[in-house]
Amino acid sequence: MKIIKLSAIAVAVAASTAAMAAEPVVLVDADDVVVAEPVVVAQPVATGYQYNSDAGIIRNTTGAVVGTTRTLFDTVTHPAAVSAEVGTLGYGANIAWGLNENTELQAGWAGGDVADLFGGDFDAHDVNYEVETDFSNPYMGVQLRPAANWFTMGAGIIVPDNSIDVTANPNGDNGGVYKIDGQEYSANDIGTLKGTLEHRNKLAPYATIGFRPNINNHWGVFGELGGAYLGNTDATIEVDGNAANPALAAEAAKKAEAELEDKNYAKWLPIVKLGATYRF
């Protein structure tokens, strides 16, 4: 009986050694015969992107990078929609990529001479200015459909490069007068006041709300309202032509610059746009 038991134990040890990772289980039958059976533990099959939650790393980093790059390339080269637009930012277009059913990433550009779109002039205190513009507004943002319907909310960044030229319009007859900082200056004495406006912000955050109904499976229209914060304004005003009173003209120009820079509304660019969208 002892010989049988020793033989059984020897067999179990040999099987355990051969199986390497196997763990022996010892069983005793009714006749006191010991039987050892190896239990083989199944090893997990490695995947291309196996993630080790304990270590907090991706083991196959090369596969992960290649897979992510491929996904990014497929997303970039397969946009969700393209749009044409016109509004206070200018005439332009944008392209959109769908991140999910309710979210799109947009990149676009709008520019050109848009002064006529908002009347071509504005008032700074008591002086009316004629405006000429040359806008360039590349932008990138996110467009959301929070209720999964036609209502949209947008936010992003504009990189403004806008040229704004202004010319002061005198009031009254006989050459007219400019009323600047509460004082009247005769246009015959100081000549014509001309200058430029430049916003200090090189990046302008914006926010909009709007609507984007679909006409059919591919075509839709949209409208948006909002604003972009352009920051404080630097104004440069000079006298165009020979002034009858150069000292008085210089004084009027400096005061006009201060009034233009003091206009709070100049810090904000209203956003009003309409357009059409084609969805792929």
Side-chain angles (χ1 to χ4, degrees):
M1 181 64 68
K2 290 183 179 179
I3 294 175
I4 294 175
K5 290 183 178 180
L6 291 174
S7 299
I9 293 173
V11 171
V13 172
S16 175
T17 303
M20 296 296 290
E23 296 182 1
V25 177
V26 179
L27 303 176
V28 180
D29 63 9
D31 297 326
D32 294 330
V33 177
V34 178
V35 180
E37 296 181 0
V39 178
V40 179
V41 180
Q43 299 295 321
V45 178
T47 62
Y49 305 99
Q50 184 177 357
Y51 178 75
N52 186 336
S53 59
D54 295 329
I57 61 173
I58 296 176
R59 292 180 178 177
N60 189 346
T61 54
T62 302
V65 170
V66 171
T68 302
T69 303
R70 182 178 301 161
T71 300
L72 179 61
F73 177 79
D74 289 342
T75 301
V76 171
T77 56
H78 294 82
V82 293
S83 301
E85 64 182 59
V86 59
T88 53
L89 292 178
Y91 307 88
N94 68 64
I95 186 169
W97 296 268
L99 302 182
N100 55 48
E101 292 181 355
N102 300 329
T103 308
E104 289 182 347
L105 178 66
Q106 285 186 339
W109 177 91
D113 186 0
V114 299
D116 290 339
L117 294 176
F118 53 85
D121 66 342
F122 70 94
D123 294 328
H125 296 279
D126 295 319
V127 181
N128 178 264
Y129 289 90
E130 196 79 20
V131 183
E132 293 182 4
T133 59
D134 185 10
F135 277 10
S136 178
N137 291 301
Y139 62 88
M140 178 171 287
V142 176
Q143 194 74 226
L144 304 174
R145 293 178 184 262
N149 58 15
W150 55 265
F151 175 72
T152 63
M153 299 175 64
I157 292 292
I158 300 173
V159 186
D161 183 14
N162 299 327
S163 174
I164 306 173
D165 297 325
V166 296
T167 302
N169 295 318
N171 295 320
D173 300 327
N174 299 323
V177 296
Y178 304 104
K179 189 174 182 180
I180 305 172
D181 194 26
Q183 182 177 348
E184 292 187 349
Y185 296 89
S186 171
N188 293 327
D189 292 334
I190 67 173
T192 301
L193 299 178
K194 282 188 159 186
T196 60
L197 299 178
E198 182 178 354
H199 291 95
R200 298 176 188 175
N201 283 11
K202 302 306 178 185
L203 295 175
Y206 74 85
T208 62
I209 59 173
F211 63 93
R212 286 179 174 265
N214 294 323
I215 299 174
N216 55 35
N217 289 337
H218 292 291
W219 289 98
V221 295
F222 68 90
E224 293 180 28
L225 296 173
Y229 183 70
L230 297 176
N232 292 328
T233 304
D234 289 328
T236 302
I237 298 296
E238 298 178 346
V239 177
D240 184 33
N242 296 324
N245 190 332
L248 194 63
E251 176 186 301
K254 286 296 181 184
K255 289 183 177 181
E257 287 180 0
E259 285 191 342
L260 284 169
E261 292 177 354
D262 184 54
K263 289 296 291 182
N264 289 328
Y265 79 83
K267 299 178 181 179
W268 292 87
L269 176 64
I271 296 177
V272 180
K273 63 169 68 174
L274 297 172
T277 296
Y278 180 82
R279 296 192 172 279
F280 297 102

